[in-house]
Amino acid sequence: MSARITTALLLSWLLAVFIFIFAPIVASVVFSFNSDRFPTIPLGSFTTRWYDMIFADVEIGEAARNSILVSLSTSVIATMLGFATAYTDYRYRFPLKGPYLALILLPPTIPLIIMALAMLAWLSWIGASGQLWSIIVAHSVLTAPFAMAIIRLRLNQIDPNLEAAAWNLGSTEWKALRSVIMPFCRPAIVSAACLTAAISFDEFAVAWFVSGLNKTVPVIILEIVQGNIDPQVNAIGSLVFLTSISLVVIAQVFFISRVGRA
Amino acid sequence: MKDPLVTLSGIVKRFGDFTAVHRLDLEIAAGEFIAIMGPSGCGKTTTLRMIAGLEAPTEGQLRIGGRLMNDVPVHERDTPMVWQSLALFPFLNTRENVEFGLRMRGIGTAERRRRAVEWLERLEIREFAERSIDTLSGGQRQRVALARSLVTEPQILLLDEPLSALDAHLVIRMQGVLTRLQRELGITFVYVTHSQSEAFAMADRIVIMSGGRIVQTGRPREIYRTPECRFVAEFVGRNNILEGISRGDAIETPLGVFPAANLPAAGRRAILVIAADLVELSRTGSEGSIPCSLISEEFVGATVTLFLEAADGTELKVQLPERALGDLDLHAGGRFHLSWPDDVGHVLAEN
């Protein structure tokens, strides 16, 4: 009996946590379809007016294109970097490997605002700030450690003889990398690509500092919010949330179903 | 001996300060089934990996088919290996695993498939061609690993304890498959194992290694009946080992004086080895028999090994067919007498 009460309490607690996390997002989605200008209860009537407005807005369209370009490029670059470092870690023993790994995993531990300032200082010093690709560079640095961590986890599960078996059957080291290591890591690679894209797509601080006139979606949201109360923000927010959550879910599905398996 | 296919001369392998293989000389004939046997850490797997090119010898020369192989990279050697872990590619199905070696050699899709299917048929796993590897049983995977290694029609196949993960009854079946394949193909098999029964059941010739050195090479019967040193006598089979001093035509041991041939000069130390299956056990003593008490028995189906202790504490073993036990009362502490014919003792000079 008491076990059942405990279970019920724990479930209620879980439910409360989920409500706490998702209520603001749900509210934002609900208000994005609400005809009233101000987010108040009772709700007005159902409308897609705010969506029509953001789709018609040239500046928002531009920001969306920028965000997509940045997050796709970041995803490709960061996943490649992450794979290369994870493979280096898996394959080779060398002096100072500890510091090497620590350095690679460092960026996410630096406060974003510091990272953003440092990026801005560095990029302007070498004359590369204010470009779209400045954001791509900064985001790649920021997200590569996540890609590395995911792919490294997968490589930890590999039979240590698998690569040698490929050499033994006539593959050169490059061919073995392409036809054994990469296919083995495929679920982790897909997962890493989705996750790094999602992080980049949402990232505000660094993008705001180094972007110059090339605004991304999070940057434009702040500008709109600073100006006035505008339900368009709810509409943009809902779409951004949909994009990010989809990427994360895809990453999770690949991660749990393949990488998580023993 | 036919022309050697593989020649190892003066091979040394060091890992840092540790010497895994000391000055190893070995010739392996074309078409020979050779087993390299020894306890773990004896250097047998390192030797196999050097033949495959996965480790480079620190010193010495390795030749395959007359060609010096020291600097030939793994992928150019054509020395396929069956791994202890099998190392099948989990992201490929059965047929694709078998095709792998052909794909790496740039052989066209149709030809690849034809040859892979041929091997799947030969190993009786055709029906699993399109199945994923993790749906196969241990024995089926073993066959996939074999097909994958043999599909390129190599001159030599390296096997690194391939049967160690299988159930006992499957081991016997796979031994049959391996010996049949080796005979049909006529290629060289180099089989590394710590299992005496696997080595003795399959190999033409056995190499016993210990501490990075070859301690004895010979046909299974020679190794079994005439071990050349104490290590082999203890490692192979079930032997009773009695230390003693030579009297020229007999050896004096704590258990008595036993006539023996091939003894060193009188006064030198020697070891008398008597295989446990040649010892006779009786309830009643006779002239020269050794009184013992039973400590324990090990029953493995058709044969039973009895462990006994002589008055001075020497442990002795007797191996008997189970049916020969009859109605012997085998309780611990039971009194028995052991004896053996004069000519079955095998003498080792102690060094």
Side-chain angles (χ1 to χ4, degrees):
Chain A
M1 195 60 200
S2 76
R4 280 179 58 186
I5 294 171
T6 314
T7 310
L9 283 173
L10 284 174
L11 279 176
S12 326
W13 172 250
L14 185 67
L15 197 67
V17 170
F18 273 116
I19 290 171
F20 183 76
I21 293 172
F22 286 103
I25 296 164
V26 172
S28 164
V29 174
V30 170
F31 288 122
S32 75
F33 291 106
N34 182 18
S35 62
D36 290 346
R37 189 167 179 80
F38 296 99
T40 49
I41 306 249
L43 297 170
S45 58
F46 177 83
T47 179
T48 55
R49 197 171 107 221
W50 313 117
Y51 288 91
D52 296 339
M53 276 174 74
I54 60 170
F55 284 119
D57 191 313
V58 181
E59 218 184 340
I60 294 173
E62 180 70 29
R65 268 194 300 282
N66 285 344
S67 271
I68 291 168
L69 185 67
V70 167
S71 69
L72 286 181
S73 315
T74 298
S75 158
V76 171
I77 296 169
T79 305
M80 275 165 45
L81 283 174
F83 176 78
T85 43
Y87 180 71
T88 308
D89 169 48
Y90 159 74
R91 176 72 195 281
Y92 300 99
R93 305 280 166 271
F94 48 90
L96 298 180
K97 188 168 171 178
Y100 162 84
L101 286 176
L103 267 180
I104 286 164
L105 294 169
L106 199 61
T109 67
I110 300 169
L112 270 180
I113 203 79
I114 308 286
M115 187 77 181
L117 272 170
M119 275 291 174
L120 178 62
W122 163 250
L123 289 171
S124 12
W125 190 42
I126 62 167
S129 71
Q131 307 293 320
L132 208 52
W133 56 268
S134 318
I135 316 177
I136 298 174
V137 169
H139 278 183
S140 299
V141 172
L142 205 65
T143 56
F146 294 102
M148 189 241 179
I150 293 172
I151 295 168
R152 190 160 168 248
L153 210 60
R154 178 64 174 159
L155 280 172
N156 278 341
Q157 299 173 339
I158 200 168
D159 174 344
N161 291 324
L162 214 59
E163 198 178 18
W167 304 335
N168 181 247
L169 290 166
S171 347
T172 59
E173 298 207 5
W174 278 111
K175 268 189 185 165
L177 186 67
R178 240 188 17 247
S179 53
V180 173
I181 299 292
M182 294 202 2
F184 184 85
C185 292
R186 192 179 298 129
I189 290 172
V190 173
S191 205
C194 291
L195 202 68
T196 49
I199 297 172
S200 162
F201 195 74
D202 285 354
E203 201 286 324
F204 167 73
V206 175
W208 189 73
F209 272 81
V210 302
S211 62
L213 298 172
N214 302 286
K215 293 163 195 156
T216 61
V217 170
V219 175
I220 208 115
I221 291 178
L222 184 79
E223 286 191 0
I224 297 171
V225 175
Q226 276 172 335
N228 52 4
I229 294 167
D230 188 338
Q232 283 188 78
V233 168
N234 291 328
I236 302 174
S238 304
L239 291 179
V240 170
F241 174 73
L242 191 69
T243 312
S244 301
I245 201 81
S246 309
L247 287 169
V248 172
V249 166
I250 296 172
Q252 281 290 328
V253 165
F254 272 88
F255 201 69
I256 291 170
S257 69
R258 313 285 178 75
V259 182
R261 193 173 60 193
Chain B
M1 190 156 151
K2 286 180 268 179
D3 286 343
L5 179 68
V6 182
T7 314
L8 295 100
S9 28
I11 294 282
V12 175
K13 178 65 190 177
R14 287 190 206 97
F15 296 102
D17 292 340
F18 173 72
T19 307
V21 173
H22 298 267
R23 301 231 149 267
L24 188 125
D25 293 296
L26 179 65
E27 285 192 347
I28 302 171
E32 186 178 25
F33 195 138
I34 191 166
I36 305 179
M37 200 179 132
S40 52
C42 71
K44 57 189 192 301
T45 296
T46 305
T47 304
L48 195 76
R49 290 176 65 90
M50 284 194 281
I51 298 174
L54 295 164
E55 305 287 355
T58 316
E59 285 173 33
Q61 293 187 331
L62 167 73
R63 285 171 195 278
I64 300 178
R67 180 178 170 205
L68 184 65
M69 299 302 273
N70 288 43
D71 297 320
V72 177
V74 193
H75 66 270
E76 286 174 17
R77 289 203 182 189
D78 203 15
T79 49
M81 178 140 142
V82 179
W83 307 74
Q84 184 168 16
S85 66
L86 299 185
L88 295 173
F89 303 119
F91 45 86
L92 299 179
N93 69 24
T94 302
R95 176 180 51 75
E96 291 164 338
N97 261 282
V98 176
E99 282 181 15
F100 190 89
L102 300 172
R103 203 174 97 209
M104 292 301 124
R105 281 167 175 74
I107 289 165
T109 319
E111 170 74 0
R112 230 156 61 194
R113 179 170 297 225
R114 189 186 62 75
R115 285 169 66 177
V117 168
E118 212 176 274
W119 272 96
L120 291 171
E121 260 165 18
R122 187 160 191 165
L123 286 160
E124 298 161 6
I125 43 173
R126 168 86 195 261
E127 56 187 304
F128 308 112
E130 305 302 319
R131 290 260 293 268
S132 136
I133 290 300
D134 29 81
T135 63
L136 302 187
S137 72
Q140 290 159 352
R141 284 186 212 193
Q142 194 81 55
R143 288 164 189 261
V144 179
L146 272 172
R148 185 181 71 170
S149 302
L150 290 169
V151 73
T152 55
E153 287 160 23
Q155 281 307 297
I156 182 167
L157 180 68
L158 309 177
L159 302 106
D160 183 15
E161 310 220 14
L163 307 184
S164 56
L166 293 184
D167 293 340
H169 69 282
L170 272 176
V171 170
I172 306 289
R173 273 192 66 183
M174 284 311 295
Q175 284 178 359
V177 171
L178 285 172
T179 36
R180 199 195 70 218
L181 266 178
Q182 196 264 342
R183 218 171 305 129
E184 286 173 6
L185 298 169
I187 67 170
T188 305
F189 275 28
V190 183
Y191 191 97
V192 159
T193 183
H194 66 269
S195 156
Q196 184 186 321
S197 63
E198 285 174 23
F200 281 24
M202 293 185 284
D204 300 322
R205 195 157 62 106
I206 289 174
V207 173
I208 309 262
M209 286 185 74
S210 167
R213 293 183 168 84
I214 293 180
V215 290
Q216 189 171 356
T217 308
R219 286 181 294 113
R221 263 189 79 84
E222 292 167 2
I223 300 265
Y224 188 68
R225 286 300 178 206
T226 55
E228 283 169 6
C229 64
R230 185 175 184 142
F231 173 82
V232 176
E234 282 172 347
F235 183 69
V236 172
R238 278 273 155 74
N239 287 309
N240 292 295
I241 292 167
L242 302 176
E243 291 175 12
I245 293 172
S246 169
R247 283 188 175 180
D249 57 354
I251 177 168
E252 185 180 332
T253 74
L255 296 180
V257 179
F258 302 100
N262 303 320
L263 277 161
R268 300 287 297 275
R269 299 179 63 79
I271 293 169
L272 183 64
V273 180
I274 303 114
D277 61 332
L278 300 175
V279 177
E280 287 158 12
L281 176 107
S282 67
R283 293 296 290 178
T284 53
S286 57
E287 167 87 36
S289 70
I290 304 161
C292 293
S293 59
L294 183 66
I295 301 168
S296 63
E297 59 178 308
E298 184 189 69
F299 176 57
V300 279
T303 57
V304 175
T305 306
L306 303 179
F307 296 87
L308 303 104
E309 196 178 56
D312 70 333
T314 308
E315 192 189 270
L316 293 163
K317 288 161 266 187
V318 185
Q319 212 165 44
L320 296 168
E322 190 273 337
R323 43 180 287 215
L325 285 178
D327 52 2
L328 278 179
D329 177 18
L330 292 176
H331 69 272
R335 310 291 302 172
F336 293 96
H337 292 266
L338 302 187
S339 58
W340 52 84
D342 286 348
D343 57 347
V344 303
H346 172 70
V347 171
L348 298 173
E350 194 170 44
N351 34 27

